[in-house]
Protein backbone atom coordinates (compact mmCIF):
# COMPACT_ATOMS: atom_id res chain seq x y z
CA UNK A 1 0.00 0.00 0.00
CA UNK A 2 1.36 3.42 -0.97
CA UNK A 3 1.27 5.57 2.19
CA UNK A 4 -0.59 8.86 2.50
CA UNK A 5 1.45 12.07 2.51
CA UNK A 6 3.51 13.14 4.44
CA UNK A 7 4.63 9.51 4.81
CA UNK A 8 6.86 8.24 2.02
CA UNK A 9 7.78 4.76 0.81
CA UNK A 10 10.56 3.34 -1.32
CA UNK A 11 9.42 2.26 -4.80
CA UNK A 12 8.25 -1.37 -4.76
CA UNK A 13 7.23 -3.77 -7.51
CA UNK A 14 4.07 -4.25 -5.44
CA UNK A 15 2.98 -0.76 -6.53
CA UNK A 16 2.96 -1.64 -10.23
CA UNK A 17 -0.73 -2.69 -10.45
CA UNK A 18 -1.70 0.74 -9.10
CA UNK A 19 0.78 2.93 -10.97
CA UNK A 20 1.30 1.24 -14.33
CA UNK A 21 -2.22 1.97 -15.69
CA UNK A 22 -1.90 5.61 -14.63
CA UNK A 23 1.47 6.02 -16.33
CA UNK A 24 0.15 4.31 -19.49
CA UNK A 25 -2.61 6.89 -19.68
CA UNK A 26 -0.25 9.87 -19.81
CA UNK A 27 -0.16 11.55 -23.23
CA UNK A 28 2.88 13.83 -22.90
CA UNK A 29 5.40 11.03 -23.52
CA UNK A 30 7.93 11.97 -20.83
CA UNK A 31 10.38 9.06 -20.74
CA UNK A 32 10.77 9.11 -16.95
CA UNK A 33 7.05 8.62 -16.48
CA UNK A 34 6.67 4.89 -16.85
CA UNK A 35 6.54 2.49 -13.94
CA UNK A 36 9.53 0.59 -15.34
CA UNK A 37 11.68 3.72 -15.46
CA UNK A 38 10.71 4.89 -11.97
CA UNK A 39 11.33 1.40 -10.57
CA UNK A 40 14.61 0.68 -12.36
CA UNK A 41 16.17 4.04 -11.51
CA UNK A 42 14.78 4.21 -7.97
CA UNK A 43 18.26 3.98 -6.43
CA UNK A 44 19.95 6.31 -8.91
CA UNK A 45 17.55 9.13 -8.00
CA UNK A 46 16.60 8.05 -4.45
CA UNK A 47 12.95 7.90 -5.48
CA UNK A 48 10.19 7.66 -2.88
CA UNK A 49 6.44 7.87 -3.29
CA UNK A 50 3.41 9.08 -1.40
CA UNK A 51 -0.34 9.19 -2.08
CA UNK A 52 -1.92 12.63 -2.21
CA UNK A 53 -5.40 11.46 -3.12
CA UNK A 54 -7.20 8.98 -5.33
CA UNK A 55 -5.01 8.40 -8.42
CA UNK A 56 -2.80 11.32 -7.34
CA UNK A 57 0.76 10.57 -6.29
CA UNK A 58 3.88 12.45 -5.28
CA UNK A 59 7.31 11.12 -6.30
CA UNK A 60 10.33 12.61 -4.54
CA UNK A 61 14.04 12.18 -5.16
CA UNK A 62 17.52 13.52 -4.59
CA UNK A 63 20.04 14.22 -7.36
CA UNK A 64 23.57 15.19 -6.29
CA UNK A 65 22.31 16.26 -2.89
CA UNK A 66 19.46 18.39 -4.25
CA UNK A 67 15.92 17.26 -3.34
CA UNK A 68 13.13 17.43 -5.91
CA UNK A 69 9.58 16.26 -6.44
CA UNK A 70 7.48 15.19 -9.41
CA UNK A 71 3.71 15.20 -9.94
CA UNK A 72 3.06 13.12 -13.07
CA UNK A 73 -0.70 12.79 -12.55
CA UNK A 74 -1.67 16.31 -11.52
CA UNK A 75 -1.46 18.89 -8.76
CA UNK A 76 -2.82 18.62 -5.21
CA UNK A 77 -5.26 21.11 -3.75
CA UNK A 78 -5.41 22.88 -0.37
CA UNK A 79 -2.16 24.82 -0.68
CA UNK A 80 0.05 21.74 -0.55
CA UNK A 81 2.16 22.94 -3.50
CA UNK A 82 3.80 25.65 -1.38
CA UNK A 83 4.71 23.05 1.24
CA UNK A 84 6.22 20.76 -1.41
CA UNK A 85 8.38 23.56 -2.81
CA UNK A 86 9.62 24.45 0.66
CA UNK A 87 10.37 20.84 1.55
CA UNK A 88 11.75 19.52 -1.76
CA UNK A 89 13.02 22.77 -3.35
CA UNK A 90 12.26 22.13 -7.03
CA UNK A 91 9.76 20.30 -9.20
CA UNK A 92 11.36 18.14 -11.87
CA UNK A 93 9.93 16.72 -15.12
CA UNK A 94 7.34 19.45 -15.41
CA UNK A 95 5.38 18.84 -18.62
CA UNK A 96 4.42 21.54 -21.10
CA UNK A 97 0.79 21.23 -20.06
CA UNK A 98 1.72 21.91 -16.42
CA UNK A 99 3.67 25.10 -17.14
CA UNK A 100 0.72 27.54 -17.39
CA UNK A 101 -0.77 26.43 -14.09
CA UNK A 102 2.57 26.69 -12.29
CA UNK A 103 3.33 30.14 -13.68
CA UNK A 104 -0.24 31.13 -12.82
CA UNK A 105 0.55 30.20 -9.21
CA UNK A 106 3.53 32.55 -9.38
CA UNK A 107 6.24 29.90 -9.52
CA UNK A 108 9.38 30.23 -11.64
CA UNK A 109 9.52 27.71 -14.49
CA UNK A 110 12.58 27.18 -16.72
CA UNK A 111 13.39 24.80 -19.57
CA UNK A 112 15.41 21.75 -18.54
CA UNK A 113 17.17 21.28 -21.89
CA UNK A 114 19.54 18.55 -20.67
CA UNK A 115 16.50 16.37 -20.00
CA UNK A 116 14.55 16.97 -23.22
CA UNK A 117 13.64 13.62 -24.82
CA UNK A 118 14.66 13.26 -28.47
CA UNK A 119 11.80 12.25 -30.77
CA UNK A 120 12.28 10.61 -34.18
CA UNK A 121 9.80 9.51 -36.80
CA UNK A 122 9.88 5.73 -36.91
CA UNK A 123 9.82 5.80 -40.72
CA UNK A 124 12.82 8.18 -40.80
CA UNK A 125 14.91 5.81 -38.66
CA UNK A 126 13.98 3.03 -41.08
CA UNK A 127 14.67 4.84 -44.38
CA UNK A 128 17.33 7.34 -43.20
CA UNK A 129 16.35 9.82 -45.93
CA UNK A 130 18.37 12.72 -47.31
CA UNK A 131 22.00 13.77 -47.59
CA UNK A 132 22.36 14.53 -43.88
CA UNK A 133 21.86 10.86 -43.00
CA UNK A 134 24.19 9.60 -45.73
CA UNK A 135 26.92 8.72 -43.21
CA UNK A 136 24.49 6.54 -41.25
CA UNK A 137 23.54 4.64 -44.40
CA UNK A 138 27.20 4.21 -45.30
CA UNK A 139 28.05 2.77 -41.87
CA UNK A 140 25.10 0.38 -42.02
CA UNK A 141 26.01 -0.79 -45.53
CA UNK A 142 29.60 -1.41 -44.43
CA UNK A 143 28.38 -3.41 -41.43
CA UNK A 144 26.06 -5.51 -43.58
CA UNK A 145 28.85 -6.16 -46.10
CA UNK A 146 31.49 -7.07 -43.53
CA UNK A 147 29.63 -9.25 -41.04
CA UNK A 148 27.24 -12.14 -40.80
CA UNK A 149 24.37 -11.05 -38.57
CA UNK A 150 21.02 -12.13 -37.17
CA UNK A 151 18.34 -10.23 -35.27
CA UNK A 152 15.61 -11.82 -33.17
CA UNK A 153 13.13 -10.80 -30.44
CA UNK A 154 14.65 -10.60 -26.97
CA UNK A 155 12.80 -13.51 -25.38
CA UNK A 156 13.35 -15.27 -22.04
CA UNK A 157 15.67 -17.87 -23.56
CA UNK A 158 17.86 -15.09 -25.03
CA UNK A 159 18.28 -13.12 -21.80
CA UNK A 160 21.53 -14.82 -20.82
CA UNK A 161 23.03 -13.73 -24.13
CA UNK A 162 21.82 -10.17 -23.49
CA UNK A 163 23.39 -10.23 -20.01
CA UNK A 164 26.68 -11.31 -21.59
CA UNK A 165 26.48 -8.32 -23.93
CA UNK A 166 25.82 -6.03 -20.98
CA UNK A 167 28.84 -7.41 -19.09
CA UNK A 168 31.11 -6.79 -22.08
CA UNK A 169 29.62 -3.31 -22.52
CA UNK A 170 30.44 -2.58 -18.87
CA UNK A 171 34.04 -3.73 -19.35
CA UNK A 172 34.38 -1.36 -22.31
CA UNK A 173 32.39 1.64 -21.08
CA UNK A 174 32.36 1.57 -17.28
CA UNK A 175 29.49 1.41 -14.83
CA UNK A 176 27.04 3.92 -16.33
CA UNK A 177 23.47 2.66 -16.00
CA UNK A 178 24.65 -0.93 -15.66
CA UNK A 179 22.64 -1.79 -12.53
CA UNK A 180 19.36 -0.52 -13.97
CA UNK A 181 20.07 -2.19 -17.31
CA UNK A 182 20.79 -5.53 -15.66
CA UNK A 183 17.63 -5.44 -13.55
CA UNK A 184 15.64 -4.45 -16.64
CA UNK A 185 16.77 -7.65 -18.36
CA UNK A 186 16.13 -9.77 -15.28
CA UNK A 187 12.61 -8.39 -14.78
CA UNK A 188 11.65 -7.60 -18.38
CA UNK A 189 8.56 -9.81 -18.30
CA UNK A 190 7.28 -8.38 -15.00
CA UNK A 191 7.84 -4.84 -16.28
CA UNK A 192 6.43 -5.58 -19.76
CA UNK A 193 9.58 -4.44 -21.52
CA UNK A 194 10.33 -5.76 -24.98
CA UNK A 195 13.19 -5.54 -27.40
CA UNK A 196 15.51 -7.26 -29.82
CA UNK A 197 18.89 -9.00 -29.66
CA UNK A 198 21.49 -9.11 -32.41
CA UNK A 199 24.19 -11.66 -33.16
CA UNK A 200 27.31 -10.97 -35.23
CA UNK A 201 29.26 -13.89 -36.65
CA UNK A 202 27.20 -16.14 -34.39
CA UNK A 203 28.05 -14.26 -31.18
CA UNK A 204 25.69 -12.06 -29.11
CA UNK A 205 26.67 -8.49 -29.89
CA UNK A 206 23.86 -5.98 -29.17
CA UNK A 207 20.40 -5.59 -27.72
CA UNK A 208 17.74 -2.93 -27.29
CA UNK A 209 14.96 -2.77 -24.71
CA UNK A 210 12.01 -0.44 -24.22
CA UNK A 211 8.25 -0.04 -23.98
CA UNK A 212 5.33 1.88 -25.41
CA UNK A 213 4.38 5.30 -24.05
CA UNK A 214 2.19 8.27 -24.99
CA UNK A 215 -0.95 6.19 -24.76
CA UNK A 216 0.50 3.63 -27.19
CA UNK A 217 1.45 6.13 -29.91
CA UNK A 218 5.23 6.04 -29.31
CA UNK A 219 7.94 3.61 -28.25
CA UNK A 220 10.71 4.62 -25.86
CA UNK A 221 14.15 3.02 -25.96
CA UNK A 222 15.30 2.70 -22.35
CA UNK A 223 18.45 0.65 -23.01
CA UNK A 224 20.59 0.01 -26.08
CA UNK A 225 23.87 -1.82 -25.55
CA UNK A 226 26.41 -3.11 -28.05
CA UNK A 227 29.93 -4.49 -28.13
CA UNK A 228 32.22 -1.82 -29.51
CA UNK A 229 34.39 -3.84 -31.88
CA UNK A 230 31.86 -4.01 -34.72
CA UNK A 231 31.90 -0.79 -36.73
CA UNK A 232 28.40 0.29 -37.73
CA UNK A 233 26.66 -2.02 -35.26
CA UNK A 234 24.89 0.72 -33.27
CA UNK A 235 23.62 2.32 -36.48
CA UNK A 236 22.47 -1.05 -37.77
CA UNK A 237 20.60 -1.87 -34.55
CA UNK A 238 18.96 1.55 -34.48
CA UNK A 239 17.59 1.06 -38.00
CA UNK A 240 16.81 -2.63 -37.67
CA UNK A 241 14.77 -2.27 -34.49
CA UNK A 242 12.80 0.64 -35.95
CA UNK A 243 12.03 -1.59 -38.93
CA UNK A 244 10.42 -4.32 -36.84
CA UNK A 245 8.43 -2.04 -34.54
CA UNK A 246 4.69 -2.02 -35.29
CA UNK A 247 3.60 0.85 -37.53
CA UNK A 248 1.23 2.15 -34.83
CA UNK A 249 4.29 3.70 -33.19
CA UNK A 250 4.63 6.89 -35.21
CA UNK A 251 7.55 8.15 -33.15
CA UNK A 252 10.48 6.65 -31.25
CA UNK A 253 11.65 8.38 -28.08
CA UNK A 254 15.38 7.94 -27.51
CA UNK A 255 15.45 9.78 -24.19
CA UNK A 256 17.72 12.63 -23.11
CA UNK A 257 21.37 13.60 -23.50
CA UNK A 258 21.81 14.60 -19.80
CA UNK A 259 23.99 17.51 -20.87
CA UNK A 260 26.66 15.24 -22.37
CA UNK A 261 27.90 17.16 -25.41
CA UNK A 262 29.04 14.03 -27.26
CA UNK A 263 25.72 12.31 -26.69
CA UNK A 264 23.87 15.45 -27.73
CA UNK A 265 25.77 15.59 -31.02
CA UNK A 266 25.17 11.88 -31.64
CA UNK A 267 21.43 12.25 -31.06
CA UNK A 268 21.22 15.37 -33.23
CA UNK A 269 22.90 13.61 -36.18
CA UNK A 270 19.78 11.47 -36.51
CA UNK A 271 17.71 14.61 -37.20
CA UNK A 272 15.06 14.50 -34.47
CA UNK A 273 11.60 15.55 -35.55
CA UNK A 274 11.11 17.25 -32.20
CA UNK A 275 11.51 16.97 -28.45
CA UNK A 276 9.45 16.07 -25.43
CA UNK A 277 10.21 19.26 -23.55
CA UNK A 278 10.59 19.18 -19.79
CA UNK A 279 10.83 22.00 -17.31
CA UNK A 280 11.95 22.58 -13.75
CA UNK A 281 9.98 24.76 -11.38
CA UNK A 282 10.94 26.63 -8.22
CA UNK A 283 8.87 28.57 -5.75
CA UNK A 284 8.17 32.10 -6.97
Amino acid sequence: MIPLYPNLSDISMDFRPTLHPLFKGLKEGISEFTFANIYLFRENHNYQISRLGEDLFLITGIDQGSPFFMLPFGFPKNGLMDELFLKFISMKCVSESQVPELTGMGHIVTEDRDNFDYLYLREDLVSLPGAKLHKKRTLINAFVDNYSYEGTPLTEERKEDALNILEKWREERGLGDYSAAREALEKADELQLCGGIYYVNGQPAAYTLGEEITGGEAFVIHFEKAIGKYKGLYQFVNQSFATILPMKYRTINREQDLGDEGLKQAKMTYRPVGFVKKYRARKG
Side-chain angles (χ1 to χ4, degrees):
M1 177 71 74
I2 300 173
L4 279 170
Y5 183 82
N7 296 313
L8 292 161
S9 169
D10 293 339
I11 306 295
S12 165
M13 187 69 84
D14 294 338
F15 301 159
R16 188 179 183 278
T18 298
L19 296 173
H20 179 62
L22 296 175
F23 279 122
K24 282 203 57 128
L26 296 176
K27 299 294 186 180
E28 301 263 7
I30 290 175
S31 63
E32 288 91 339
F33 289 164
T34 75
F35 179 79
N37 191 286
I38 293 294
Y39 177 78
L40 292 169
F41 288 93
R42 64 196 184 280
E43 294 179 359
N44 302 63
H45 300 287
N46 301 285
Y47 285 143
Q48 291 190 304
I49 190 166
S50 182
R51 182 188 293 271
L52 300 177
E54 187 174 354
D55 293 343
L56 192 61
F57 297 92
L58 164 74
I59 299 171
T60 69
I62 303 173
D63 280 344
Q64 298 176 334
S66 298
F68 64 85
F69 68 99
M70 303 186 294
L71 294 168
F73 312 117
F75 298 149
K77 308 298 183 186
N78 305 322
L80 186 56
M81 287 295 289
D82 286 340
E83 179 182 333
L84 294 177
F85 275 113
L86 287 172
K87 192 172 183 179
F88 301 107
I89 311 303
S90 71
M91 181 177 172
K92 187 179 174 183
C93 289
V94 174
S95 68
E96 284 199 86
S97 67
Q98 291 176 326
V99 171
E101 191 170 351
L102 284 167
T103 54
M105 294 175 189
H107 300 303
I108 301 165
V109 183
T110 55
E111 283 191 349
D112 189 4
R113 174 61 182 84
D114 292 349
N115 281 299
F116 280 14
D117 288 330
Y118 287 72
L119 281 181
Y120 305 88
L121 290 176
R122 186 193 62 81
E123 60 187 38
D124 283 353
L125 293 185
V126 172
S127 61
L128 299 172
K132 290 181 177 179
L133 291 171
H134 173 74
K135 287 184 178 178
K136 307 293 185 190
R137 297 194 300 271
T138 299
L139 282 166
I140 292 168
N141 289 337
F143 173 82
V144 170
D145 289 342
N146 290 329
Y147 301 105
S148 170
Y149 59 88
E150 175 194 5
T152 185
L154 181 44
T155 55
E156 182 67 35
E157 56 269 24
R158 305 276 185 174
K159 282 184 184 177
E160 198 60 41
D161 286 344
L163 287 166
N164 288 335
I165 294 165
L166 180 61
E167 291 299 330
K168 291 178 181 176
W169 174 89
R170 181 187 184 186
E171 290 172 9
E172 293 174 356
R173 305 286 291 273
L175 192 60
D177 60 356
Y178 168 82
S179 295
R182 184 176 182 88
E183 191 171 22
L185 287 171
E186 292 169 345
K187 297 180 179 176
D189 290 345
E190 296 169 75
L191 293 168
Q192 288 188 314
L193 300 176
C194 60
I197 185 167
Y198 297 85
Y199 297 80
V200 178
N201 297 337
Q203 299 299 312
Y207 76 87
T208 187
L209 196 64
E211 62 182 317
E212 71 173 35
I213 54 172
T214 323
E217 296 176 4
F219 193 92
V220 58
I221 305 293
H222 288 314
F223 303 98
E224 188 175 77
K225 307 298 183 189
I227 295 171
K229 65 180 179 179
Y230 304 111
K231 187 176 181 180
L233 177 57
Y234 269 110
Q235 291 79 10
F236 172 78
V237 168
N238 192 323
Q239 181 194 49
S240 175
F241 191 69
T243 302
I244 64 171
L245 275 177
M247 292 184 68
K248 72 171 185 171
Y249 301 126
R250 179 176 173 272
T251 55
I252 295 176
N253 180 324
R254 294 189 62 84
E255 300 194 331
Q256 57 275 85
D257 61 47
L258 299 174
D260 183 301
E261 195 59 35
L263 190 55
K264 179 179 180 179
Q265 291 179 10
K267 288 179 181 287
M268 289 301 296
T269 60
Y270 271 99
R271 320 305 297 176
V273 71
F275 301 92
V276 179
K277 293 184 177 181
K278 303 171 203 171
Y279 301 80
R280 192 178 283 264
R282 294 184 178 272
K283 185 171 174 58

